[in-house]
């Protein structure tokens, strides 16, 4: 955890807290988190929660990474974690994790001309990112990390030549699909980040094999030394590592050594900043209204040549409606409103595939696309709104969402549907001044006198929409 404050446009760190709970080690063969691992994590979060108690939600971001992406019972753990913290936890994709790591690294090291390769080895995944300045250009998240490889090859703590060769083969297999594309991109400097790489740097410095950073020759000497040590208990003693770090040190080393050998990395600098710092800088952008998610939406609209004018019309009307329904429906300024705006701007993305059932195609695209800046929860809600923005609207349409999100989604979807219906004609002429009143499940939409008589198709569309909404438990009246 990092606590920081804004000073002259930059953040100043006030507090850092870090505990190794080795969450990935709690996954069983069926990818379920054990009760013991959940308890370790919850105890840690309870301690962190005390520090977060007085921080406003809009100034706070909590993210979960690879283990929570894999765990089949992650929803159960998240409910317990959020109860302990008193705040929402976002699960982010591997690509989003890599983007945030790169952002944290480039803000923590000296700027260099040309491209940078960033390597981050976590417990269950390893992120590789090539970028230039503050923009990541190509990134991937590989399912191997210090915990997972230690469990696979060194579970009982013994270190042998045969086991090292097995680990090296596993690393090469994971790297095989991405090696050529990364080498073709090229880079001028290599930067490593996070606990595993920092621990390796400390060991090679202590041994006098490297003064700064980590060199390939130092890694080769460390490989020989690990064979001489022979077990993880002795690692802790020889190099004064915490027992928790020593247990996964060999697996983490094998990932780094394999990466350097395969990609031809002779030397690597080490960054103090990584994911946590990246989250801070990303949050800073949101507070300054420089939200990367806005850039993502604009990029998607441009890349796929969506009807920008129609998207902006629907979005503007949706925001007018949400503002009028805000108080009665308890729609707080911020989160839900932004999701509604983005859903309105992307509601026609499914037309890339086919007009027929384009709302379903759009939902699938938004659920599974890599959208920089968006958490899994954001994308799930975005996809759900697009899926139900037209045609059938059953009462159980959002039952797959968490309970606290389902009611919000239903209400936002009603407003999105109305905005889409009102612009079905794709007219460039502005709508008249609308007045929307809501009370529980009843909506009253009012137009200037005589306007609907002059627009009979809109009246017919609203009558049809009233029928759809009725099945979802809403009552729409208009005139």
């Amino acid at each position: 955890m990092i606590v920081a404050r804004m000073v002259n446009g930059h953040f100043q760190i006030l507090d850092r807290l870090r505990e190794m709970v080795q969450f990935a080690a709690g996954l069983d063969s069926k990818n379920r988190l054990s009760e013991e691992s959940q308890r370790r994590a919850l105890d840690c979060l309870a301690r962190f929660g005390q520090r977060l108690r007085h921080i406003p939600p809009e100034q706070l971001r909590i993210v979960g990474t690879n283990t929570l992406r894999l765990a089949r019972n992650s929803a159960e753990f998240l409910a317990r974690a959020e109860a302990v913290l008193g705040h929402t936890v976002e699960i982010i994709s591997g690509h989003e994790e890599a983007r945030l790591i790169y952002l944290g690294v480039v803000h923590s090291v000296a700027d260099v001309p040309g491209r940078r390769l960033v390597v981050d080895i976590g417990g269950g995944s390893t992120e590789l990112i090539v970028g230039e300045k503050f923009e990541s250009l190509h990134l991937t998240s590989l399912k191997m990390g210090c915990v997972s490889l230690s469990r696979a090859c060194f579970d009982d703590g013994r270190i042998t030549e045969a086991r090292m060769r097995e680990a090296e083969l596993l690393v090469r297999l994971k790297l095989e699909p991405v090696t050529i594309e990364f080498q073709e991109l090229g880079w001028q400097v290599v930067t490593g980040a996070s606990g595993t790489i920092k621990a390796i740097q400390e060991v090679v410095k202590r041994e006098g094999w490297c003064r700064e950073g980590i060199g390939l020759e130092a890694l080769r000497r460390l490989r020989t030394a690990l064979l001489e040590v022979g077990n993880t208990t002795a690692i802790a003693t020889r190099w004064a590592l915490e027992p928790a770090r020593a247990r996964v040190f060999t697996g983490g080393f094998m990932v780094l050594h394999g990466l350097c050998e395969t990609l031809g990395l002779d030397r690597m600098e080490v960054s103090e900043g990584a994911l946590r710092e990246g989250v801070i800088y990303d949050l800073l952008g949101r507070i300054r209204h420089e939200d990367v998610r806005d850039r993502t939406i604009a990029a998607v609209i441009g890349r796929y040549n969506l009807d920008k004018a129609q998207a902006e019309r629907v979005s503007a009307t949706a925001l007018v409606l949400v503002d009028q329904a805000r108080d009665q429906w308890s729609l707080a300024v911020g989160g839900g409103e932004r999701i509604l705006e983005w859903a309105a701007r992307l509601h026609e993305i499914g037309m890339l595939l086919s007009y027929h059932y384009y709302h379903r195609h759009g939902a699938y695209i938004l659920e599974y696309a890599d959208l920089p800046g968006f958490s899994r929860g954001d994308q799930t809600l975005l996809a759900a709104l697009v899926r139900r923005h037209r045609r059938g609207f059953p009462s159980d349409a959002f039952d797959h969402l968490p309970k606290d999100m389902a009611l919000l989604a239903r209400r936002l979807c009603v407003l999105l549907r109305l905005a889409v219906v009102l612009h079905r004609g794709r007219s460039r002429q502005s709508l008249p001044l609308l007045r929307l009143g809501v009370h529980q499940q009843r909506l009253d939409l009012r137009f200037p006198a005589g306007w609907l008589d002059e627009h009979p198709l809109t009246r017919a569309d609203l009558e049809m929409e009233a029928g759809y909404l009725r099945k979802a438990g809403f009552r729409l009246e208009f005139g």
Side-chain angles (χ1 to χ4, degrees):
M1 182 173 72
I2 289 181
V3 181
R5 68 170 181 167
M6 288 283 295
V7 179
N8 298 325
H10 300 279
F11 79 77
Q12 178 186 72
I13 295 175
L14 301 178
D15 202 2
R16 287 181 189 265
L17 293 174
R18 184 176 183 277
E19 293 188 23
M20 283 189 68
V21 297
Q22 294 185 357
F23 214 21
L27 289 172
D28 63 20
S29 59
K30 296 181 179 178
N31 276 345
R32 294 187 63 83
L33 286 166
S34 68
E35 178 59 33
E36 180 186 356
S37 66
Q38 291 190 56
R39 177 46 54 195
R40 284 199 307 270
L42 291 169
D43 288 346
C44 169
L45 292 178
R47 290 186 284 274
F48 283 11
Q50 179 182 339
R51 188 67 179 83
L52 303 178
R53 201 163 292 157
H54 304 296
I55 298 178
E58 64 274 12
Q59 297 178 19
L60 178 68
R61 193 173 180 204
I62 306 169
V63 300
T65 56
N66 184 69
T67 301
L68 287 177
R69 292 195 291 267
L70 292 176
R72 297 177 66 182
N73 57 339
S74 62
E76 167 198 318
F77 172 77
L78 284 179
R80 299 171 72 182
E82 289 173 352
V84 165
L85 288 166
H87 294 281
T88 301
V89 178
E90 306 172 40
I91 301 179
I92 56 175
S93 70
H95 276 69
E96 176 65 1
E97 182 179 356
R99 184 188 72 85
L100 291 171
I101 287 167
Y102 182 82
L103 191 61
V105 167
V106 296
H107 278 93
S108 305
V109 295
D111 188 22
V112 293
R115 292 178 177 174
R116 180 190 303 273
L117 171 65
V118 171
V119 178
D120 184 288
I121 301 170
S125 67
T126 293
E127 278 63 48
L128 300 177
I129 314 101
V130 171
E132 195 164 353
K133 299 293 183 180
F134 294 101
E135 292 296 324
S136 52
L137 304 174
H138 189 73
L139 42 82
T140 191
S141 179
L142 304 172
K143 287 183 169 54
M144 63 175 178
C146 62
V147 175
S148 58
L149 196 62
S150 293
R151 290 181 68 186
C153 300
F154 309 99
D155 199 31
D156 63 358
R158 292 174 55 241
I159 305 169
T160 66
E161 180 64 33
R163 292 183 179 201
M164 280 193 160
R165 288 180 180 173
E166 178 188 2
E168 286 166 349
L169 179 60
L170 289 175
V171 172
R172 288 202 300 271
L173 285 171
K174 290 290 186 183
L175 285 169
E176 187 178 21
V178 302
T179 298
I180 292 176
E181 59 183 326
F182 270 86
Q183 288 176 332
E184 287 179 346
L185 282 166
W187 49 79
Q188 281 65 53
V189 65
V190 182
T191 307
S194 292
T196 290
I197 290 177
K198 288 179 182 177
I200 292 171
Q201 178 185 233
E202 286 301 314
V203 168
V204 297
K205 278 181 68 175
R206 189 172 293 137
E207 291 286 355
W209 298 331
C210 264
R211 287 187 175 182
E212 290 192 15
I214 302 170
L216 181 55
E217 183 57 36
L219 291 177
R220 290 169 177 164
R221 296 177 72 171
L222 180 53
R223 186 186 189 281
T224 301
L226 285 169
L227 280 172
E228 292 172 355
V229 169
N231 65 77
T232 54
T233 303
I235 288 175
T237 304
R238 175 163 175 174
W239 289 303
L241 297 178
E242 297 175 4
R245 173 60 65 190
R247 283 194 293 271
V248 299
F249 183 85
T250 309
F253 165 78
M254 297 309 301
V255 173
L256 182 60
H257 183 247
L259 275 166
C260 291
E261 293 281 9
T262 302
L263 296 178
L265 311 181
D266 291 325
R267 181 160 295 277
M268 170 184 293
E269 65 175 0
V270 179
S271 167
E272 284 299 313
L275 177 62
R276 291 176 296 172
E277 289 75 12
V279 171
I280 286 279
Y281 277 107
D282 196 61
L283 181 59
L284 179 60
R286 295 184 183 188
I287 293 170
R288 287 171 161 178
H289 305 293
E290 300 168 358
D291 195 333
V292 69
R293 293 173 296 180
D294 290 322
R295 297 205 304 271
T296 295
I297 299 299
V300 169
I301 290 173
R303 186 184 310 136
Y304 297 111
N305 200 27
L306 303 185
D307 187 337
K308 184 177 180 181
Q310 177 69 358
E312 290 178 352
R313 284 190 289 265
V314 173
S315 174
T317 297
L319 293 179
V320 168
L321 296 176
V322 78
D323 196 50
Q324 295 187 31
R326 188 185 313 282
D327 293 339
Q328 287 297 320
W329 272 358
S330 302
L331 302 173
V333 175
E337 186 175 334
R338 301 304 315 280
I339 291 288
L340 176 61
E341 179 185 359
W342 294 323
R345 295 181 69 192
L346 294 180
H347 74 282
E348 292 187 333
I349 192 172
M351 289 186 183
L352 292 168
L353 304 180
S354 159
Y355 177 80
H356 191 57
Y357 294 128
Y358 75 83
H359 52 301
R360 296 183 184 179
H361 305 323
Y364 183 86
I365 291 169
L366 294 174
E367 179 82 31
Y368 296 105
D370 285 319
L371 300 179
F374 285 85
S375 68
R376 279 192 170 187
D378 286 341
Q379 287 191 227
T380 299
L381 179 53
L382 190 61
L385 293 177
V386 169
R387 170 68 178 86
R388 295 297 179 184
H389 85 268
R390 67 191 288 263
R391 294 197 176 182
F393 188 24
S395 59
D396 62 352
F398 299 103
D399 284 359
H400 65 290
L401 299 178
K403 287 184 179 179
D404 61 336
M405 191 186 294
L407 177 60
L408 172 66
R410 281 169 57 80
R411 290 175 169 176
L412 293 178
C413 192
V414 169
L415 302 177
L416 176 61
R417 291 175 68 95
L418 290 176
V420 171
V421 165
L422 291 170
H423 289 284
R424 187 175 179 186
R426 313 182 84 85
S427 172
R428 296 180 182 179
Q429 187 175 0
S430 299
L431 289 174
L433 184 64
L434 303 173
R435 289 188 294 108
L436 175 67
V438 300
H439 181 70
Q440 298 298 329
Q441 304 289 88
R442 186 170 64 83
L443 300 96
D444 186 26
L445 184 61
R446 293 293 147 187
F447 299 83
W451 191 87
L452 283 176
D453 294 332
E454 297 170 5
H455 297 81
L457 277 178
T458 301
R459 182 188 292 277
D461 286 335
L462 287 170
E463 287 173 352
M464 186 177 294
E465 181 61 25
Y468 285 132
L469 292 180
R470 195 176 302 116
K471 292 180 180 179
F474 291 92
R475 181 181 174 184
L476 171 64
E477 296 178 356
F478 57 91

